[in-house]
Amino acid sequence: MAKLAIHHYIDVMTEGQSQWVEELFSSDFCQRVQGLKYPNHSRSELISFLKKQSGEKMNCQTTLQIIDECAHYMIAKVIMKFESFTKTDLITLINEDGNWKVIASIHTYQ
């Protein structure tokens, strides 16, 4: 089930699929972006942004690496290669009462 959640995250981020986006993120989700000039984003800010991007497909190649996984959490690395830069997301998911939720993500750009 954790792998379904991480694949849903990828679809939301790269394919503009905003269906069930509220269920994907935990209530205390936080998104951080590397670098001092970039702000952190709350759950509500990210969900609002993703809903506005509904249907927008990113022109990138995506690679998924599962870093660690057990019955209660998963840490994954999602690499999105665009034409002129690469975005890497380090994602942490937790199992909340049988439902997998993204609790945190950290973005870096190269």
Side-chain angles (χ1 to χ4, degrees), residues 47-70:
I47 289 173
S48 176
F49 171 79
L50 292 171
K51 285 184 174 184
K52 289 177 187 174
Q53 298 297 315
S54 182
E56 295 290 326
K57 294 185 180 188
M58 301 290 168
N59 185 17
C60 64
Q61 293 180 345
T62 305
T63 306
L64 170 63
Q65 297 174 354
I66 305 299
I67 296 171
D68 196 7
E69 180 179 12
C70 72

Side-chain angles (χ1 to χ4, degrees), residues 6-107:
I6 195 67
H7 285 288
H8 181 57
Y9 174 88
I10 292 169
D11 290 344
V12 166
M13 294 298 179
T14 63
E15 298 291 323
Q17 295 182 12
S18 62
Q19 187 176 15
W20 299 301
V21 70
E22 291 92 352
E23 290 81 8
L24 181 60
F25 298 99
S26 69
S27 60
D28 56 348
F29 169 82
C30 183
Q31 180 184 69
R32 291 179 173 82
V33 181
Q34 177 190 20
L36 298 176
K37 63 182 179 178
Y38 297 106
N40 297 333
H41 302 284
S42 69
R43 177 184 188 274
S44 60
E45 290 170 329
L46 181 61
I47 289 173
S48 176
F49 171 79
L50 292 171
K51 285 184 174 184
K52 289 177 187 174
Q53 298 297 315
S54 182
E56 295 290 326
K57 294 185 180 188
M58 301 290 168
N59 185 17
C60 64
Q61 293 180 345
T62 305
T63 306
L64 170 63
Q65 297 174 354
I66 305 299
I67 296 171
D68 196 7
E69 180 179 12
C70 72
H72 304 289
Y73 72 87
M74 173 192 277
I75 301 172
K77 186 177 187 180
V78 178
I79 302 167
M80 293 169 258
K81 290 190 178 189
F82 294 85
E83 188 174 314
S84 59
F85 69 95
T86 299
K87 176 184 172 191
T88 302
D89 291 354
L90 185 61
I91 313 299
T92 304
L93 298 95
I94 60 169
N95 186 337
E96 289 185 346
D97 301 321
N99 296 312
W100 285 91
K101 308 266 183 172
V102 178
I103 192 167
S105 68
I106 301 170
H107 298 323

